[in-house]
């Protein structure tokens, strides 16, 4: 298919300093958990995007010196020759596709906890980080300033040696250059503090020094939060933002502009729950009015028409993207080929970010199961190995895991029958996407639905049966498939079983008219009274989302929570606005309590820490602490049970129980994936579907093959080996 001419402008080359971007698609720096310690992962994850059409591709934030060490999180580093060598793998892989490679040179100031290096970071003034725990920086004197500026220069030289085309002096997300610029951090009274010219001086000088050092070979970029969103106490775009751009413009080849800070960087990486495509444009658009250089910016740009619109409106020159490039590394090529409906649109869930925030690489993606798996499992997002046999495969359940398994199996050429009792592909997504702010999560279903419809047309023996009769064990045994994949999902517990007690709660019973599971709320066939209590022992979105849904429908809502409410949303960056929403909607949260028993219209709660703080041995059958004596009653018209989930695995267990009948029915194997195996994140359910489809010919496809690990191996050429020896300082 040919490109739609209205998208032509996206494919025009654009000059940035000494380098040319071959089009206007640009992967801004984003974390992936590779750093410089996993060179294979880094090279493969970034270069797949070059193959998919992105003209500029960056590392994540890259530490220029051990004083800027973000351990427990993982950044890239350019501290020494070893890092140069490891990152060269990335630049070489990117250059094979004629794309440019960039590094985001980072010095964190007090936001660098330095847990590995044990250095003390320096900053413009001394303050405690509002983001890290117990991290203060040392206030720089003029010697310190010169020294840290030289760190940028030295790292830029190493970046050039490693083959990078673009070097950033990174000041967005409240890192050092912005700390100098912002009066929120900078309390100096010398020529680096006070007036905007003085506060800008550190950053402008650093840019100039870097430009002098590598500017003939590399484009110099600046990532700048043009507004920190604190009003006058921080950086405001029409005051300091524009003025800074004016001062620094001569030393910058390309501006990468966004908004926000580090403590709430979800204002930049805006989750779809709160922010639409292009939500930063009202701030970003000011920069092109002042700069003579190309300007790029992010805003979860997944829609080609919207990209063209912001360029034609003169708001941006280059489309920056992190999440859209993770979700679909081939987004530019698909636009180029006129294959808009093949784009795997980012759903804006920020699960990719959550893994990095927690500190556990690799990054994962809800939409793209191959993200982070390019090197270690050899998975390409768009290419699949041909089928390894003529086996036919029955997939029961078309939720995230089943639909992904069926898609990948069909891509491989297998004959697949995908069955679901529901009328629509998508499983749990069909309900989730009706929750406030989560409509875009439906893209997960839409992508698979579109692809499966196309694949079924190509492979006439494959089938999708929706609205089917629930498949029983007998049905599955007699179906005639060689292999069966059970993807029947999970349900919310009806009896209050929860992660605190691992048992039902006395009196909780979703068959009562006043007690409802989330599924019953979605189904809408049980009346919900005015006063609602949402009973929560889950740490993700369901309880706050249902509370919002019912509150917006006019119910009075209280959440009674035994688990930290929405705790996982600290990592998806949804938490700050979630708490604002709960406050604004006057949803009461009673935390740190759990339920001892329930009746039709009330629950008895107790404080989780209501038992004695002293512990002593009292013999068998006796608790080692004084028992709680404090109880309260909370009344309701309706109680929503978000207490925990269980697998709907009856079909799988039934088939396992009749394993001796498999051979007679020509069944070679029965497997279970997704929530039916164990309830999990949608991203992990999708991953399991994808994995089993790629590994279906393995001896035991139920369990994953080992993956390639990038670890330091004792005795490898660069490591000491053989006998353990150590020389202590004496
Ligand atoms: P996952 O996230 O693991 O994909 P979901 O709960 O989203 O799980 O999806 C499971 C799907 O399986 C649902 O659409 C449900 O209708 C379907 N399903 C469950 N049991 C059966 C069955 N016995 N026969 C056919 N479809 C089933
Ligand atoms: Fe988008 Fe979610 Fe994938 Fe991140 S994890 S790229 S937000 S779909």
């Amino acid at each position: 298919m040919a490109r739609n001419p209205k998208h032509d402008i996206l494919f025009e080359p654009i000059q940035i300093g000494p380098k040319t971007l071959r089009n206007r698609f640009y992967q801004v720096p984003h974390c992936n958990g590779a750093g410089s310690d996993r060179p294979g992962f880094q090279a493969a994850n970034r270069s797949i995007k070059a193959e998919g059409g992105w003209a500029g591709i960056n590392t994540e934030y890259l530490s220029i010196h051990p004083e800027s060490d973000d351990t427990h999180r993982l950044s890239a580093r350019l501290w020494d020759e070893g890092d140069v060598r490891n990152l060269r793998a990335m630049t070489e892989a990117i250059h094979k596709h004629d794309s440019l490679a960039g590094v985001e040179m980072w010095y964190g100031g007090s936001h660098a906890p330095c847990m590995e290096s044990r250095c003390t970071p320096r900053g413009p003034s001394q303050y405690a980080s509002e983001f890290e725990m117990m991290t203060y920086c040392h206030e720089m004197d003029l010697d310190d300033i010169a020294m840290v500026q030289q760190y940028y220069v030295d790292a830029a030289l190493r970046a050039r040696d490693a083959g990078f085309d673009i070097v950033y002096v990174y000041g967005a997300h409240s890192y050092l250059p912005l700390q100098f610029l912002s009066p929120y951090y900078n309390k100096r009274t010398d020529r680096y503090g006070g007036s905007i010219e003085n506060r800008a001086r550190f950053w402008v000088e650093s840019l100039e020094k870097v430009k002098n050092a590598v500017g003939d070979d590399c484009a110099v970029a600046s990532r700048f939060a043009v507004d920190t969103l604190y009003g006058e106490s921080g950086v405001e775009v029409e005051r300091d933002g524009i003025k800074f751009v004016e001062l620094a413009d001569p030393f910058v080849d390309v501006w990468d502009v966004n908004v926000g800070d580090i403590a709430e960087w979800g204002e930049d990486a805006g989750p779809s729950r709160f922010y639409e495509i292009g939500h930063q444009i009202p701030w970003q658009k000011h920069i092109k009015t002042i700069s003579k250089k190309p300007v790029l910016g992010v805003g979860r740009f997944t829609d080609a028409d919207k990209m063209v619109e912001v360029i034609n409106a003169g708001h941006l020159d280059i489309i920056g993207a992190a999440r859209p490039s993770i979700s679909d590394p081939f987004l530019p090529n698909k636009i180029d080929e006129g294959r808009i409906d093949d784009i795997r649109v980012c759903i804006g869930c920020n699960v990719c970010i959550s893994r990095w925030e927690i500190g556990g690489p690799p990054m994962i993606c809800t939409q793209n199961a191959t993200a982070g798996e390019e090197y270690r499992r050899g998975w390409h997002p768009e290419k699949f190995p041909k089928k390894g046999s003529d086996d036919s495969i029955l997939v029961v359940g078309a939720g995230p895991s089943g639909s992904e398994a069926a898609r990948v199996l069909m891509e491989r050429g297998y004959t697949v029958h995908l069955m679901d009792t529901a009328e629509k592909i998508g499983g749990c997504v069909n309900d989730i996407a009706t929750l406030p702010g989560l409509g875009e999560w439906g893209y997960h279903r839409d992508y698979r639905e579109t692809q499966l419809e196309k694949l079924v047309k190509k492979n006439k023996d494959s089938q999708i049966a929706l609205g089917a009769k629930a498949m029983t064990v007998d049905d599955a045994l007699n179906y005639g498939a060689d292999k069966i994949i059970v993807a029947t999902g999970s349900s919310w517990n009806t009896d209050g079983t929860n992660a605190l007690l691992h048992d039902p709660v006395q009196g909780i019973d979703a068959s009562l008219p006043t007690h409802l599971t989330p599924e019953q709320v979605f189904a809408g066939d049980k009346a919900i009274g005015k006063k609602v209590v949402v009973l929560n022992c889950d740490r993700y979105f369901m309880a706050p989302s249902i509370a919002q849904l019912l509150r917006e429908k006019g119910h009075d809502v209280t959440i009674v929570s035994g688990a930290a409410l929405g705790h996982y949303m600290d990592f998806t960056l949804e938490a700050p606005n979630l708490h604002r929403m709960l406050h604004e909607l006057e949803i009461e949260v009673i935390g740190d309590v759990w339920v001892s028993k329930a009746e039709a219209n009330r629950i008895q709660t107790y404080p989780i820490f209501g038992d004695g703080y002293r512990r002593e041995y009292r013999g068998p059958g006796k608790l080692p602490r004084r028992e709680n004596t404090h109880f309260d009653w909370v009344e309701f018209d309706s109680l929503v049970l978000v207490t925990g989930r269980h697998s709907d695995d009856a079909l799988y267990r039934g088939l396992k129980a009749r394993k001796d009948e498999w051979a007679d029915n020509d069944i070679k194997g029965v497997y279970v994936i997704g929530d039916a195996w164990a309830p999990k994140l949608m991203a992990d359910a999708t991953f399991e579907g994808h994995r089993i489809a790629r590994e279906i010919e393995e001896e035991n496809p139920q369990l994953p093959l080992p993956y390639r690990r990038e670890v330091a191996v004792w005795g490898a050429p660069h490591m000491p080996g053989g006998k353990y020896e150590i020389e202590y300082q004496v």
Side-chain angles (χ1 to χ4, degrees), residues 380-443:
H380 189 287
E382 302 294 319
K383 294 182 188 160
F384 306 92
K386 290 269 155 298
K387 66 179 181 176
S389 73
D390 287 329
D391 286 347
S392 62
I393 298 158
L394 168 67
V395 180
V396 186
S401 64
S403 59
E404 178 72 353
R407 178 184 80 87
V408 176
L409 286 165
M410 286 192 209
E411 289 280 9
R412 296 190 60 193
Y414 285 97
T415 295
V416 180
H417 286 196
L418 175 64
M419 317 274 297
D420 201 303
T421 50
E423 296 290 340
K424 198 163 169 58
I425 281 169
C428 59
V429 181
N430 288 318
D431 286 336
I432 292 170
T434 66
L435 288 167
L438 298 191
E440 290 192 38
W441 289 33
Y443 295 150

Side-chain angles (χ1 to χ4, degrees), residues 570-616:
D570 286 332
F571 308 120
T572 60
L573 315 181
E574 292 164 286
N577 285 326
L578 179 90
H579 293 301
R580 289 184 180 109
M581 178 275 289
L582 293 172
H583 182 75
E584 198 167 320
L585 295 184
E586 296 178 347
I587 294 170
E588 190 190 358
V589 179
I590 305 174
D592 283 341
V593 295
W594 194 236
V595 181
S596 39
K597 60 182 173 192
E599 296 172 5
N601 288 97
R602 59 179 196 161
I603 46 176
Q604 188 189 52
T605 65
Y606 63 92
I608 287 176
F609 299 111
D611 53 352
Y613 73 91
R614 292 190 198 84
R615 186 198 68 187
E616 62 186 77

